[in-house]
Amino acid sequence: MTRVWRCAGLSWADGGPRLRWEGGRPSELERGRRVAFAVMAGGVRTCVGARGHGCPIRAEVSGRSTGARCEECARLNRAHSVAADTAADDPRPYRVYLAWFGPGMVKVGITAAERGPARLLEQGAVSFGWLGTGPLMAARRTEELLRAALGVPDRIPYAGKRAVRAVLPSAGERAAELAELHARAVALDGWPESLERAAFRAVDHGAVFGLEGPVRVDGVVSELVAGGVVSGDLLAAAGPDLHLATGRGVVVLDTRLMTGWELTGAPDDRLTVPVGASGDPGVQDGLF
């Protein structure tokens, strides 16, 4: 009998990536490890539901969607979301950060202090620095202040992040760009009094992600399909992306495309899913 798994996404724990499986143990992803799976033949991709609950109608969703949710479940999932400004009563302390993805590609954001750098790892931030810590609404007001005053966004599409990984400058240059923006940020007037500013310290994820040297990208998986196979050796992992050495070159797999499918072991060493150019953005769901 064929054993079937359903992927629950990629997470970062203890500084390393792991694939999570519904009802099973996570798979640690070490560089050099073979990543291989097949989508069940004749299967369809179904909505993953919202906030821990399954989709009541098991709606079919697009293979190119990175959220794997139907319209109604996507709406429910955003309810009481910090990102959507519907959780203003959250009592936890929050941190404001600057995240660096490439030259001139810096965003400002917030994350619950208790999560540490997990949010930055999940986004694929090559380098980052904390700006301050305080109550949620103070952190949100600071984020808006910096967006307006510094002209930095709060969202950068993944296609842009992938495109610059092949031409990353040194860790020192990355830190210097962050340091300049951090200095401008803390010099601004209008910071909420309840948000404690942080001294600058750059945290670099180049080695964690496996991006120490030039990163070749020959293509990006645009979607999974029924009966399709993905097989390759893991070269690097950044955010939800796995960089795999395959028979068709170095291909990036956004692991968010794996959710909603029934998966099984790969029958052989092949790559038989659609692969687009490295700048192919696919279909983005959500705010980040």
Side-chain angles (χ1 to χ4, degrees):
M1 181 177 179
T2 301
R3 188 172 180 182
V4 175
W5 296 271
R6 290 180 68 90
C7 183
L10 184 144
S11 64
W12 287 82
D14 301 322
R18 58 180 63 175
L19 281 172
R20 296 178 290 111
W21 306 98
E22 293 181 8
R25 293 182 298 177
S27 301
E28 306 290 339
L29 294 174
E30 299 177 353
R31 265 175 276 167
R33 177 173 180 172
R34 171 58 57 101
V35 175
F37 62 88
V39 183
M40 289 294 289
V44 295
R45 192 184 191 197
T46 56
C47 174
V48 297
R51 306 184 68 79
H53 300 284
C55 177
I57 61 171
R58 291 184 58 82
E60 185 173 344
V61 294
S62 167
R64 292 172 62 86
S65 165
T66 56
R69 289 186 174 91
C70 66
E71 184 176 343
E72 179 61 17
C73 286
R75 184 190 66 79
L76 291 172
N77 198 58
R78 290 191 61 194
H80 306 293
S81 165
V82 169
D85 280 336
T86 58
D89 57 349
D90 190 333
R92 297 175 297 172
Y94 276 76
R95 282 177 165 172
V96 187
Y97 61 80
L98 287 171
W100 188 98
F101 300 94
M105 193 176 290
V106 180
K107 63 158 281 187
V108 60
I110 68 173
T111 185
E114 64 189 32
R115 298 202 67 209
R119 183 70 190 132
L120 286 305
L121 290 163
E122 291 167 357
Q123 294 181 79
V126 181
S127 187
F128 80 93
W130 301 119
L131 284 165
T133 305
L136 171 58
M137 295 314 295
R140 181 62 81 198
R141 287 195 298 272
T142 303
E143 179 187 40
E144 293 298 324
L145 169 69
L146 301 181
R147 284 179 57 198
L150 301 182
V152 292
D154 63 357
R155 175 185 174 188
I156 294 177
Y158 276 98
K161 299 175 188 179
R162 295 176 188 124
V164 297
R165 288 179 194 151
V167 290
L168 294 177
S170 68
E173 292 176 85
R174 302 195 285 257
E177 186 173 348
L178 276 176
E180 189 272 333
L181 268 176
H182 184 280
R184 289 171 55 195
V186 297
L188 293 171
D189 294 326
W191 281 56
E193 293 183 3
S194 57
L195 194 127
E196 181 181 357
R197 304 185 199 196
F200 177 72
R201 184 176 76 88
V203 179
D204 200 87
H205 291 152
V208 175
F209 290 158
L211 304 177
E212 300 98 327
V215 179
R216 172 182 159 192
V217 175
D218 298 309
V220 176
V221 173
S222 54
E223 64 179 315
L224 301 185
V225 294
V229 175
V230 174
S231 181
D233 296 328
L234 183 63
L235 301 178
D241 290 346
L242 302 182
H243 292 242
L244 304 174
T246 76
R248 294 169 61 179
V250 179
V251 174
V252 176
L253 168 66
D254 185 336
T255 54
R256 296 174 298 175
L257 297 175
M258 297 172 65
T259 57
W261 288 104
E262 290 189 334
L263 307 174
T264 188
D268 49 28
D269 186 7
R270 292 185 296 158
L271 181 67
T272 63
V273 296
V275 174
S278 60
D280 183 0
V283 178
Q284 178 72 36
D285 292 307
L287 297 178
F288 303 103

